[in-house]
Amino acid sequence: MSNRLPLIGVLAAIILFLVWSSIFVVNERQQAIVLRFGEIVDVKTDPGIYFKAPFSMFEADNVQVIEDRVMRLDLDDIRVQVSGGKFYDVDAFIAYRINDARKFRSTVSGSVELAEQRLRTRFDAALRRVYGVRGFESALSEERTAMMREVRDQLQPDATSLGLEIQDVRIRRTDLTQEVSQQTFDRMKAERLAEAERLRARGREAAQRIRARADREVVEIVAEAQKESEILRGEGEAQRSAVFADAFNRDPEFFDFYRSMSAYGTALNADGTTMVLSPESEFFRYFRNPDANKATPAPAAGAAAPAASN
């Protein structure tokens, strides 16, 4: 019995090795290609435990595991030329997955790196074609979505030949190159300066019109005010003359007395004035005779005195 134990152990080890080499596991993010003597015999896309022929070292059955998830390929700082002849820097990426494992294996030997190298070249060419028939503004407008869809449609046949499916194409950035940025900045600056000068010219023109209109209105208002003032002054003078005439006609003696008193106030108002007059002068008749109002009317206010000295 003891002589059989080593043999049993060897047989158990061989069985375990055969079982281990016959089982492979596929998770939810993978798919497996089963190769027999280099030929594809099966493709496992569902997750689970599967069996194959053992002795993979003798090319009996080999399993190549490839991705079964959406992958991303970025293309950065691609210089493209638009329809206007200028160049712009573009960043974009594509989302893809392996949908035909057999074709993927036969065209690129199941290598993601090799597939992305080919896809990158085609992606670059598709971007250049799409931008080449449009202007820079298209990538910044609603046409951006159509551009991404057009790139995807151009890329899909080449991707299908590699066993790939393009899920989406996105343009992340479209920027001016350094040379074009400076040129654009200079042009925009010149345009803004010209626009500012036009606005200033319009402002000066409007200010001149407003100032001229205001000056004309001032002249018209002053002229109208002077006209009205002259009319009012004339009416006032007429009313004054009428009042004086009416007062004189009502009581000529009192009016003569009032005018004499006004003349006294005017003649004797200044300080330091010396007047040499005869007491019998007609100018002082109201000082010596209460009935002087019956005499000859006094001279008007401001009439010259017979003799005066300072």
Side-chain angles (χ1 to χ4, degrees):
M1 181 67 178
S2 58
N3 294 331
R4 295 181 180 178
L5 289 177
L7 181 59
I8 293 173
V10 171
L11 291 175
I14 293 173
I15 292 172
L16 289 175
F17 174 76
L18 292 175
V19 171
W20 176 79
S21 62
S22 301
I23 295 175
F24 64 96
V25 179
V26 178
N27 62 38
E28 63 275 6
R29 295 179 301 173
Q30 297 174 335
Q31 52 185 325
I33 303 174
V34 181
L35 303 170
R36 181 169 297 162
F37 302 109
E39 298 293 333
I40 300 174
V41 296
D42 199 3
V43 175
K44 304 298 184 182
T45 57
D46 296 326
I49 300 175
Y50 297 95
F51 294 92
K52 65 178 181 64
F55 308 114
S56 57
M57 71 285 294
F58 300 112
E59 298 294 334
D61 275 358
N62 285 325
V63 177
Q64 183 179 13
V65 178
I66 58 177
E67 296 288 346
D68 193 27
R69 58 188 175 89
V70 176
M71 293 177 285
R72 172 170 166 164
L73 173 61
D74 287 273
L75 209 59
D76 297 329
D77 297 328
I78 302 301
R79 178 166 292 192
V80 299
Q81 186 177 20
V82 298
S83 60
K86 295 182 179 179
F87 290 88
Y88 297 90
D89 292 331
V90 176
D91 291 346
F93 71 89
I94 58 175
Y96 72 96
R97 65 179 297 273
I98 303 170
N99 69 327
D100 191 339
R102 295 178 182 271
K103 187 176 294 185
F104 184 70
R105 166 67 188 185
S106 61
T107 53
V108 293
S109 301
S111 172
V112 174
E113 291 78 9
L114 183 58
E116 286 188 348
Q117 288 179 7
R118 299 187 182 183
L119 198 59
R120 187 185 303 274
T121 303
R122 295 175 173 88
F123 189 21
D124 183 283
L127 281 174
R128 294 180 186 279
R129 285 194 297 269
V130 170
Y131 271 92
V133 296
R134 291 178 174 85
F136 169 71
E137 295 78 9
S138 300
L140 306 178
S141 64
E142 297 179 354
E143 197 174 350
R144 184 188 186 98
T145 303
M147 293 172 64
M148 293 187 293
R149 186 166 53 248
E150 187 174 342
V151 172
R152 184 196 62 190
D153 294 341
Q154 292 186 19
L155 198 58
Q156 187 58 58
D158 295 324
T160 302
S161 66
L162 298 174
L164 308 177
E165 178 186 8
I166 304 299
Q167 300 284 335
D168 197 8
V169 173
R170 292 291 170 180
I171 298 174
R172 294 189 291 111
R173 178 179 69 95
T174 302
D175 282 344
L176 300 170
T177 60
Q178 185 175 0
E179 298 82 2
V180 177
S181 293
Q182 186 61 40
Q183 295 173 3
T184 303
F185 174 78
D186 293 340
R187 186 182 69 251
M188 293 176 65
K189 180 179 179 180
E191 291 175 352
R192 298 285 78 78
L193 290 175
E195 182 65 21
E197 184 59 32
R198 284 195 294 271
L199 292 176
R200 283 193 291 268
R202 293 174 185 172
R204 288 192 293 266
E205 181 182 356
Q208 188 174 0
R209 287 198 304 268
I210 293 172
R211 193 176 296 111
R213 184 167 58 249
D215 293 341
R216 185 177 65 251
E217 290 178 356
V218 168
V219 172
E220 293 175 354
I221 292 172
V222 170
E224 185 66 23
Q226 290 177 346
K227 174 184 175 182
E228 293 181 359
S229 67
E230 293 296 332
I231 293 174
L232 292 175
R233 187 177 293 108
E235 293 177 352
E237 292 291 338
Q239 292 179 4
R240 176 177 176 274
S241 299
V243 169
F244 272 103
D246 183 65
F248 181 79
N249 292 328
R250 288 184 181 183
D251 193 349
E253 295 179 356
F254 175 78
F255 187 73
D256 187 38
F257 174 77
Y258 172 77
R259 292 188 65 187
S260 295
M261 293 300 103
S262 297
Y264 294 155
T266 301
L268 302 175
N269 186 34
D271 295 336
T273 301
T274 301
M275 300 181 67
V276 179
L277 297 173
S278 172
E280 302 300 325
S281 173
E282 187 67 22
F283 188 70
F284 291 110
R285 67 183 183 278
Y286 284 104
F287 286 96
R288 65 177 183 272
N289 186 6
D291 297 328
N293 55 351
K294 298 179 181 180
T296 305
S309 63
N310 292 327

